[in-house]
């Protein structure tokens, strides 16, 4: 195996990357190699889906498979090697079905049919050993001896950005929101990658195009969340437990949470959110369920302790699972793209077994003293008081905005984000989205003329809200986003963050601070290119970075 797609990458070697029997995320070599092969197979589906679209017969079923398959290869999503063997067979079947439709459509139109080459021609081996042998030829570093590390790094930027686009698109799709524009963009990116591109400018251009596609995806996901669950409203969320039977829901998928709330209504079982599910409490459709009792624990990397101490079953949706520990291994369940060997996987929103487990387990014996935090400052809530915000800026009450967004993690250096948020001057506003909020969301920030200094915009899935807020402020002040008293400080971890970064770059947003470490696939030359064109800069010392941000805007 060789993998360097996330911040957990092994950096102890001269060539950063996880290359032993097991990655730092817990992914074994077999699973890692099968994931690489699945990405290769999906490129072939993309080639044929793009051809089908040009022939006037787009195939949404195949497009949905592409999203799901790519999502399973994200960091901390699916660790089950046997699942990837099944997906590889399904990939070949899906590709062949689209191919047959293309051939039939070309014949009916009287045009010549020219089959794509490369990944479109791949056929799965008959055995695990054969599949692993195929995987050796198509890993993330394929062709490095011929094109060099810079080109392979730029290819990785496209691949990992595409994985993030697929994950966000899958979230929207599960809520019933799809877009031919998005599917066409995904197909085009896969077809581009299938050609083994070796031109740096073309690769960077495709990365930015993916950023533009992801903007559409984020808009679609925003519409899905608000369309299904209503607009976020500022809401106090209990973060201390109440007595009674309990289920903990982690991951990102609000559709799964809604299904569980419906199935547990009236049962006396309380539902708690964990990690990136925290913003669920701000949506009217979800919070109307009185047994949505509160949020328990912290960010995804705290799950070993959080899950072990939780006195009920755990439902893991979408991404962010880490190896289940013996203390809770028999009471954790997975659904959607997420999976772990030996952990029971549930399909079709049928969570009856989880409810049964909750009834059998002790639950919380007593109610703890009430503690709360406030969430729900999505774009509708913030823009609803935009006039007050603008007046506060014009009056000099608000001097600067800091957007501290992105993923949390266990790597050293993430205390930077705590220090940055808590050291931000009292005349500044901190907006946050993503699970890095857990670094500082219990700190008392106070307010500025009634405007809270800490505005929790939501999940990483809510990046569109932050973008719309920034654009609205720029419009109000008749300037560009880069001219606002606004600094972006992003903690990256995995491929969703890569997709959001590409969107910000595609929008022309400059001088983003990125950390705590820079992606290992960005070679010095590629990083230099991003610094030159977009002003990307690594984080440094929190107090120094705050001072630099304020002085740059003051100048």
């Amino acid at each position: 195996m060789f993998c360097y797609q996330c911040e957990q990458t092994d950096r102890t070697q001269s060539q950063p990357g996880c290359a032993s029997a097991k990655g730092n995320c817990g992914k074994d070599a077999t699973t890692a190699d099968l994931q690489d092969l699945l990405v290769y197979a999906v490129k072939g589906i993309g080639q044929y889906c793009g051809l089908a679209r040009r022939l006037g017969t787009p195939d949404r079923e195949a497009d949905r498979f592409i999203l799901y398959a790519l999502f399973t290869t994200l960091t901390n999503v699916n660790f089950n090697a046997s699942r990837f063997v099944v997906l590889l067979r399904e990939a070949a079947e899906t590709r062949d079905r689209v191919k047959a439709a293309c051939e039939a459509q070309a014949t009916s139109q009287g045009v010549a049919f020219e089959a794509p080459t490369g990944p479109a021609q791949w056929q799965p081996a008959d055995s695990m050993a054969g599949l692993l042998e195929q995987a050796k030829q198509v890993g993330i570093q394929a062709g490095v001896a011929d094109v060099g590390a810079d080109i392979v790094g730029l290819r990785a930027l496209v691949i990992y950005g595409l994985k993030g686009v697929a994950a966000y698109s899958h979230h929207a799709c599960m809520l019933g929101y799809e877009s031919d524009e998005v599917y066409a963009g995904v197909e085009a990116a896969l077809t581009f990658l299938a050609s083994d591109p070796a031109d740096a400018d073309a690769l960077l251009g495709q990365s930015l195009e993916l950023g533009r596609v992801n903007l559409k995806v984020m808009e679609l996901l925003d519409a899905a969340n608000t369309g299904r669950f209503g607009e976020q409203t500022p809401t106090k969320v209990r973060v201390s437990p109440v007595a009674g039977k309990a289920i903990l829901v982690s991951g990102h998928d609000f559709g799964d949470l809604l299904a569980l709330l419906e199935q547990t209504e009236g049962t006396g079982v309380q539902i708690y959110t964990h990690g990136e599910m925290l913003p669920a409490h701000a949506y009217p459709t979800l919070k109307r369920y009185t047994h949505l009792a509160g949020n328990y624990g912290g960010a995804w990397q705290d799950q070993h302790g959080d899950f072990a101490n939780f006195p009920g079953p755990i439902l893991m949706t979408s991404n962010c699972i880490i190896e289940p520990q013996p203390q809770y291994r028999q009471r954790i369940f997975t659904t959607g793209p997420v999976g772990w060997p030996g952990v029971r996987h549930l399909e079709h929103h049928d969570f009856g077994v989880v409810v049964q487990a909750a009834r059998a387990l002790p639950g919380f014996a007593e109610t703890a003293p009430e503690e709360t935090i406030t969430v729900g400052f999505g774009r509708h809530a913030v823009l609803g008081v935009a006039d007050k915000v603008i007046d506060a800026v014009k009056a000099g009450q608000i001097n600067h905005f800091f957007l501290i967004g992105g993923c949390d993690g266990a790597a050293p250096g993430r205390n930077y984000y705590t220090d940055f948020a808590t050291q931000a001057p009292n005349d500044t506003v901190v907006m946050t989205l993503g699970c890095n909020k857990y670094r500082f969301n219990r700190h008392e920030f106070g307010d500025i003329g009634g405007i809270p200094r800490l505005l929790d915009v939501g999940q990483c899935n809510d990046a569109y809200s932050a973008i719309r807020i920034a654009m609205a402020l720029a419009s109000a002040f008749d300037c560009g986003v880069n001219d606002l008293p606004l600094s972006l400080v992003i903690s990256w971890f995995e491929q969703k963050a890569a997709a959001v970064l590409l969107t910000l770059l595609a929008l022309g947003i400059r001088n983003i601070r990125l950390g705590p470490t820079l992606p290992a696939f960005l070679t010095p030359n590629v990083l230099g290119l991003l610094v030159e064109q977009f002003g990307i800069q690594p984080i440094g010392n929190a107090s120094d970075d705050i001072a630099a941000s304020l002085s740059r805007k003051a100048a």
Side-chain angles (χ1 to χ4, degrees):
M1 70 174 286
F2 181 86
C3 182
Y4 57 3
Q5 71 176 4
C6 78
E7 200 214 8
Q8 296 169 100
T9 294
D10 182 0
R11 299 173 188 268
T12 62
Q13 310 298 321
S14 56
Q15 167 63 62
C18 294
S20 61
K22 197 173 192 179
N24 286 340
C25 68
K27 180 172 57 179
D28 63 44
T30 296
T31 302
D33 290 345
L34 292 176
Q35 287 182 357
D36 285 344
L37 187 57
L38 181 59
V39 171
Y40 184 78
V42 166
K43 292 177 187 176
I45 303 174
Q47 288 175 278
Y48 271 112
C49 280
L51 177 57
R53 188 172 299 280
R54 292 191 295 275
L55 288 168
T57 56
D59 190 321
R60 280 201 166 185
E61 183 180 346
D63 285 319
R64 293 174 192 133
F65 177 84
I66 287 171
L67 301 184
Y68 178 86
L70 287 176
F71 198 167
T72 64
T73 71
L74 264 72
T75 300
N76 292 94
V77 174
N78 201 304
F79 296 76
N80 195 338
S82 62
R83 178 61 181 143
F84 288 100
V85 173
V86 173
L87 285 172
L88 284 164
R89 307 294 180 205
E90 291 180 3
E93 292 169 1
T94 299
R95 189 259 336 270
D96 289 346
R97 177 175 57 75
V98 181
K99 175 184 178 182
C102 287
E103 290 175 332
Q105 184 67 7
T107 299
S108 69
Q109 294 181 8
V111 298
F113 175 78
E114 186 173 343
T117 58
Q121 300 296 322
W122 169 79
Q123 294 295 332
D126 294 332
S127 65
M128 175 69 83
L131 292 172
L132 294 177
E133 189 61 34
Q134 289 180 332
K136 290 180 182 179
Q137 312 304 317
V138 299
I140 194 66
Q141 288 203 306
V144 67
D146 298 320
V147 299
D150 294 339
I151 292 299
V152 167
L154 282 167
R155 288 177 182 172
L157 180 61
V158 176
I159 290 171
Y160 298 151
L162 179 59
K163 287 187 179 189
V165 169
Y168 285 134
S169 300
H170 177 79
H171 283 304
C173 181
M174 290 300 96
L175 294 174
Y177 285 70
E178 300 176 86
S179 162
D180 282 326
E181 179 184 347
V182 169
Y183 285 141
V186 170
E187 294 161 5
L190 288 167
T191 301
F192 174 79
L193 288 167
S195 70
D196 292 330
D199 181 88
D201 289 338
L203 283 159
L204 184 58
Q206 180 61 65
S207 297
L208 296 180
E209 178 56 31
L210 270 178
R212 288 184 280 272
V213 172
N214 193 55
L215 180 62
K216 176 63 179 178
V217 172
M218 300 307 297
E219 180 183 13
L220 195 68
L221 184 52
D222 177 86
N225 283 333
T226 56
R228 287 289 303 275
F229 310 119
E231 298 173 0
Q232 285 192 61
T233 57
T235 304
K236 286 187 176 181
V237 182
R238 187 181 180 108
V239 292
S240 52
V242 296
K245 305 290 187 178
I247 297 172
L248 187 62
V249 185
S250 193
H252 294 73
D253 199 300
F254 292 153
D256 290 331
L257 175 61
L258 177 59
L260 182 63
L261 288 168
E262 292 172 342
Q263 292 172 40
T264 51
E265 190 171 23
T267 65
V269 176
Q270 306 281 359
I271 307 300
Y272 293 82
T273 57
H274 177 269
E276 282 273 63
M277 297 299 286
L278 169 62
H281 298 268
Y283 288 95
T285 296
L286 298 174
K287 69 180 181 179
R288 73 177 178 84
Y289 289 91
T290 57
H291 63 300
L292 182 60
N295 190 74
Y296 181 89
W300 69 272
Q301 78 277 1
D302 297 329
Q303 67 188 257
H304 278 166
D306 292 343
F307 292 0
N309 293 327
F310 189 79
I314 302 109
L315 178 64
M316 198 76 204
T317 74
S318 69
N319 45 322
C320 294
I321 193 171
I322 54 181
E323 183 172 5
Q325 297 301 290
Q327 300 96 314
Y328 60 87
R329 194 180 186 97
Q330 298 306 311
R331 54 185 172 88
I332 185 172
F333 302 85
T334 61
T335 191
V338 69
W340 193 280
V343 169
R344 185 162 179 179
H345 189 79
L346 307 176
E347 300 281 2
H348 311 302
H349 283 165
D350 183 359
F351 301 135
V353 66
V354 184
V355 181
Q356 292 175 11
R359 287 172 170 155
L361 289 163
F364 290 103
E366 58 185 28
T367 298
E370 185 176 15
E371 299 177 53
T372 64
I373 55 178
T374 302
V375 301
F377 293 97
R379 65 183 178 90
H380 299 96
V382 174
L383 296 180
V385 294
D387 56 339
K388 295 180 181 178
V389 174
I390 293 165
D391 289 344
V393 173
K394 290 180 177 178
Q397 295 173 294
I398 296 178
N399 181 43
H400 204 83
F401 297 88
F402 293 107
L403 174 61
I404 307 177
C407 321
D408 203 2
R414 287 187 176 270
N415 286 341
Y416 168 92
Y417 298 98
T418 309
D419 296 340
F420 198 107
T422 57
Q423 292 177 23
N426 289 335
D427 62 352
T428 63
V429 171
V430 175
M431 296 188 293
T432 185
L433 72 159
C435 60
N436 81 339
K437 66 169 68 75
Y438 284 102
R439 291 275 167 179
F440 47 81
N441 67 350
R442 295 200 186 195
H443 179 79
E444 181 53 56
F445 285 88
D447 65 86
I448 300 174
I451 300 168
R453 285 195 56 236
L454 178 65
L455 302 176
D456 184 343
V457 179
Q459 293 181 325
C460 67
N461 292 11
D462 294 306
Y464 182 73
S465 261
I467 290 170
R468 284 288 301 272
I469 291 168
M471 288 180 167
L473 289 173
S475 177
F477 290 107
D478 194 23
C479 66
V481 171
N482 291 317
D483 300 314
L484 286 170
L486 168 68
S487 298
L488 278 69
V489 186
I490 306 298
S491 61
W492 87 281
F493 183 82
E494 42 81 274
Q495 298 77 62
K496 285 183 175 179
V500 173
L501 177 64
L502 294 179
T503 295
L504 295 174
L505 299 184
L507 288 170
I509 297 175
R510 297 182 53 82
N511 302 312
I512 298 168
R513 295 186 185 276
L514 189 65
T517 56
L518 295 177
F521 53 85
L522 296 183
T523 64
N525 288 335
V526 173
L527 178 59
L529 185 64
L530 296 180
V531 170
E532 177 185 353
Q533 294 198 23
F534 306 104
I536 291 285
Q537 50 193 310
I539 63 170
N541 173 276
S543 58
D544 291 343
D545 287 352
I546 291 170
S549 297
L550 296 175
S551 64
R552 181 174 64 84
K553 288 303 176 185

